[in-house]
């Protein structure tokens, strides 16, 4: 799958300067370095599109600096907020996720009835995420995450692993539909027919392994709605 790169274009008049424009190019480079995304179409139909940023130490400090300029925090307030943000990284990892799907009913990452599962793969470990809608106004969201648009829904996704544990690992973000409800039925039927030695239920497979797997397979059943696996630089 091709990675999605969205270019945020903004214009400034020649005689106007805003304090939060200083260092913007460098800031965008930091965000892009730690972001990845994907999009999927069925013909002309836009199935889904997303982009995510890992909120590691470098990104957290960069975002804090931008918000300090935006809201003119004094040094005491700034220091307090930064310490709070960095202390959160000691308990879990978090990503910002800008998510769009053509079916609004499927834009439900933060509900118990969500059709989506979200995983962060760090080295050989995989962590399941918990999504929450981000309570952020649109103008602030676009200022902090320039690829975000008014058509996407902002989420935070938390993973039960400290940032220090994954900070220097190669990261992959997996967003996938839940298994088909008939999956247990199929598994039971395989057992009834005594075909366990002839059929492998492989579960999640990396994109790199799919070609070889398909070449070695006579028949395969894909029971997931969507699957996407971009790489995020930690």
């Amino acid at each position: 799958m091709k990675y999605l790169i969205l270019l945020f274009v903004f214009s400034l008049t020649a005689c106007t300067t805003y304090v939060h424009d200083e260092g913007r190019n460098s800031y965008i480079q930091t965000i892009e370095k730690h972001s990845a995304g994907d999009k999927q179409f069925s013909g002309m139909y836009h199935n889904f599109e997303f982009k995510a940023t890992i909120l590691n130490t470098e990104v957290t400090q960069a975002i804090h600096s931008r918000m300090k300029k935006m809201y003119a925090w004094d040094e005491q307030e700034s220091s307090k907020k930064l310490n709070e943000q960095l202390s959160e990284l000691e308990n879990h990892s978090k990503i910002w996720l800008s998510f769009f799907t053509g079916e609004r009913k499927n834009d439900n990452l933060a509900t118990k009835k969500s059709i989506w599962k979200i995983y962060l793969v760090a080295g050989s470990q995989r962590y399941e995420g918990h999504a929450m809608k981000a309570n952020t106004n649109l103008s602030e969201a676009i200022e902090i995450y320039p690829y975000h648009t008014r058509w996407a829904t902002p989420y935070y996704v938390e993973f039960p692993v400290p940032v220090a544990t994954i900070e220097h690992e190669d990261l992959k973000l997996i967003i996938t539909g839940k298994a088909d409800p008939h999956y247990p039925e199929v598994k039971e039927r395989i057992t009834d027919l005594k075909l366990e030695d002839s059929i492998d239920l492989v579960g999640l497979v990396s994109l790199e392994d799919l070609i070889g797997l398909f070449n070695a397979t006579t028949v395969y059943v894909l029971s997931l709605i969507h699957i996407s696996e971009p790489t995020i630089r930690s």
Side-chain angles (χ1 to χ4, degrees):
M1 293 184 180
K2 295 181 178 179
Y3 292 158
L4 169 66
I5 300 178
L6 299 180
L7 178 63
F8 176 65
V9 181
F10 65 101
S11 61
L12 298 174
T13 59
C15 59
T16 305
T17 301
Y18 298 94
V19 66
H20 54 271
D21 291 327
E22 297 173 9
R24 182 163 179 78
N25 289 340
S26 175
Y27 173 77
I28 291 176
Q29 289 175 3
T30 298
I31 295 297
E32 286 295 323
K33 182 173 70 170
H34 299 288
S35 301
D38 196 14
K39 58 183 173 180
Q40 189 176 90
F41 292 84
S42 293
M44 297 297 292
Y45 183 73
H46 199 173
N47 284 335
F48 74 93
E49 180 175 320
F50 75 88
K51 192 163 184 177
T53 302
I54 183 73
L55 302 181
N56 58 16
T57 304
E58 181 181 0
V59 172
T60 297
Q61 291 175 332
I63 290 174
H64 175 80
S65 295
R66 295 300 293 172
M67 294 189 71
K68 179 182 178 182
K69 293 177 182 178
M70 287 168 58
Y71 295 111
W73 293 335
D74 61 32
E75 288 303 321
Q76 184 176 356
E77 184 178 13
S78 173
S79 179
K80 179 182 177 182
K81 289 181 180 294
L82 180 59
N83 288 335
E84 289 173 351
Q85 292 162 358
L86 293 177
S87 67
E88 287 185 12
L89 305 184
E90 298 175 3
N91 301 315
H92 56 253
S93 297
K94 185 186 290 187
I95 65 169
W96 160 278
L97 175 64
S98 179
F99 184 83
F100 169 83
T101 176
E103 291 284 344
R104 295 303 296 176
K105 66 180 181 180
N106 291 335
D107 186 3
N108 60 359
L109 276 66
T111 69
K112 291 182 179 180
K113 296 182 179 179
S114 177
I115 66 169
W116 306 97
K117 289 284 189 179
I118 306 173
Y119 301 97
L120 184 67
V121 179
S124 61
Q125 300 296 314
R126 187 179 75 176
Y127 306 93
E128 184 171 353
H130 171 67
M132 303 153 287
K133 276 195 176 180
N135 185 22
T136 308
N137 66 61
L138 180 62
S139 59
E140 180 182 298
I142 293 175
E143 174 66 26
I144 300 301
Y145 305 96
Y147 54 78
H148 184 62
T149 71
R150 66 174 63 252
W151 296 282
T153 301
Y155 291 93
Y156 285 112
V157 185
E158 287 188 355
F159 301 91
V161 56
V163 165
T165 302
I166 65 168
E167 191 120 43
H168 303 294
E169 296 279 1
D170 291 329
L171 304 178
K172 284 186 178 180
L173 177 67
I174 298 176
I175 299 181
T176 177
K178 286 184 177 177
D180 191 284
H182 297 293
Y183 176 80
E185 231 178 278
V186 172
K187 195 171 182 180
E188 184 178 342
R189 186 63 174 157
I190 290 171
T191 301
D192 290 343
L193 295 173
K194 303 187 186 313
L195 294 174
E196 299 95 326
D197 294 334
S198 302
I199 298 176
D200 291 324
L201 301 175
V202 296
L204 288 171
V205 178
S206 69
L207 296 180
E208 291 84 356
D209 294 334
L210 277 179
I211 295 177
L213 182 63
F214 288 161
N215 288 338
T217 303
T218 303
V219 176
Y220 72 92
V221 177
L222 183 64
S223 62
L224 298 176
I225 297 173
H226 303 301
I227 182 168
S228 189
E229 192 180 63
T231 300
I232 302 179
R233 291 184 61 184
S234 58

